[in-house]
Amino acid sequence: MGEQVTVLLVEDEQSFVEALVVGLKREGFRVDVAYDGAEALEKFNAVQPDLVLLDVMLPRVSGIDVCRTIRAAGARTPIIMVTAKTSEIDTVVGLEVGADDYVSKPYRLRELVARMRAVLRRTPPPDEIPEEGEVLEAGDLRLDPERHEVYLRDHEVNLPLKEFELLELLMTNAGRVLTRETLIDRVWGPHYVGDTKTLDVHVKRLRARIEDDPGHPQRITTIRGLGYKLETGRAGGD
């Protein structure tokens, strides 16, 4: 795995922690442990882990609130939520507040480690995260925030302001699911009270301009029940 990856394990079941720490260390990870949500936030800032393995049900501060706080601070550290429930509610809420993936207990160590390595591969190193104003690229799409220009296969695409802002947000977070709430909040503002169908209309218009087959989008995909995602490296339809 190259340089050793530091994992912050946030879990309040002592017996579960002991077994998991042994297993993760055997897989080559360095592990720090927090036993409740408040300690998790303290350790996150102190340790600056490469990945957070975060139980949903925690004392003091819930896993959902821990995830929300980490994302609100702007950290892009991969977060995998762990839930003992089979309910989809925890999964949906966890993804809405910025988790990258989730696993349900009980799970096999092999499955967990595979998911951990997958989210680590998808997350760019800090020096590759685009700075404000930096040209964004995803497959054959290129967006220049400062010049307000979008190119598809080197042909300029003229976009109205909201569609441009929507595409910029999706490209900045390429490969990540952005919830409808996040997109509306970031593009239309936190006090927007209009119909949420406005977002769908703009996504449809945007697809009409950048998809090879807007009826079967390959660049901006719909994540049912959550929101939208810009696929990385996609170069259009089949």
Side-chain angles (χ1 to χ4, degrees), residues 163-229:
E163 287 167 39
F164 183 91
E165 291 176 347
L166 185 58
L167 181 60
E168 181 180 4
L169 185 57
L170 286 163
M171 289 183 71
T172 301
N173 294 276
R176 290 175 60 94
V177 179
L178 293 181
T179 66
R180 297 167 62 81
E181 292 79 6
T182 297
L183 289 164
I184 290 169
D185 183 69
R186 296 282 294 277
V187 176
W188 281 271
H191 303 298
Y192 176 76
V193 291
D195 193 333
T196 58
K197 285 187 171 57
T198 298
L199 172 63
D200 301 322
V201 170
H202 280 77
V203 169
K204 186 176 181 179
R205 289 175 180 165
L206 187 53
R207 282 171 168 164
R209 298 172 192 272
I210 68 169
E211 296 281 2
D212 295 331
D213 180 359
H216 299 86
Q218 300 292 308
R219 294 185 178 88
I220 300 174
T221 55
T222 301
I223 310 302
R224 193 169 296 279
L226 284 174
Y228 296 99
K229 177 172 70 168

Side-chain angles (χ1 to χ4, degrees), residues 124-143:
D127 59 351
E128 289 183 19
I129 295 172
E131 295 179 7
E132 198 167 328
E134 185 177 325
V135 174
L136 304 171
E137 294 188 16
D140 49 14
L141 267 178
R142 186 162 58 89
L143 182 147

Side-chain angles (χ1 to χ4, degrees), residues 23-224:
L24 290 176
K25 285 185 174 177
R26 192 181 296 134
E27 291 289 333
F29 295 97
R30 180 179 177 275
V31 185
D32 273 275
V33 180
Y35 292 94
D36 63 54
E39 185 185 6
L41 292 171
E42 291 171 8
K43 285 210 168 182
F44 180 83
N45 292 323
V47 174
Q48 296 191 332
D50 300 297
L51 183 146
V52 180
L53 197 56
L54 180 61
D55 195 77
V56 171
M57 304 295 289
L58 292 169
R60 298 174 72 191
V61 180
S62 75
I64 297 293
D65 286 334
V66 170
C67 184
R68 184 183 285 116
T69 301
I70 289 172
R71 289 291 181 249
R76 296 167 64 102
T77 307
I79 298 173
I80 298 179
M81 304 289 291
V82 179
T83 174
K85 300 176 181 177
T86 54
S87 165
E88 289 185 12
I89 297 299
D90 284 335
T91 302
V92 171
V93 174
L95 293 173
E96 280 185 352
V97 298
D100 295 89
D101 201 354
Y102 70 95
V103 292
S104 298
K105 294 178 184 175
Y107 55 77
R108 293 177 301 173
L109 181 65
R110 184 181 299 176
E111 178 198 0
L112 176 64
V113 169
R115 286 174 179 257
M116 291 168 67
R117 289 184 171 143
V119 297
L120 285 165
R121 282 195 301 272
R122 294 201 303 263
T123 305
D127 59 351
E128 289 183 19
I129 295 172
E131 295 179 7
E132 198 167 328
E134 185 177 325
V135 174
L136 304 171
E137 294 188 16
D140 49 14
L141 267 178
R142 186 162 58 89
L143 182 147
D144 188 330
E146 290 189 355
R147 293 175 179 268
H148 203 277
E149 293 175 345
V150 175
Y151 289 90
L152 174 61
R153 300 191 191 100
D154 296 324
H155 295 291
E156 188 169 3
V157 179
N158 293 312
L159 295 179
L161 179 60
K162 289 301 180 191
E163 287 167 39
F164 183 91
E165 291 176 347
L166 185 58
L167 181 60
E168 181 180 4
L169 185 57
L170 286 163
M171 289 183 71
T172 301
N173 294 276
R176 290 175 60 94
V177 179
L178 293 181
T179 66
R180 297 167 62 81
E181 292 79 6
T182 297
L183 289 164
I184 290 169
D185 183 69
R186 296 282 294 277
V187 176
W188 281 271
H191 303 298
Y192 176 76
V193 291
D195 193 333
T196 58
K197 285 187 171 57
T198 298
L199 172 63
D200 301 322
V201 170
H202 280 77
V203 169
K204 186 176 181 179
R205 289 175 180 165
L206 187 53
R207 282 171 168 164
R209 298 172 192 272
I210 68 169
E211 296 281 2
D212 295 331
D213 180 359
H216 299 86
Q218 300 292 308
R219 294 185 178 88
I220 300 174
T221 55
T222 301
I223 310 302
R224 193 169 296 279

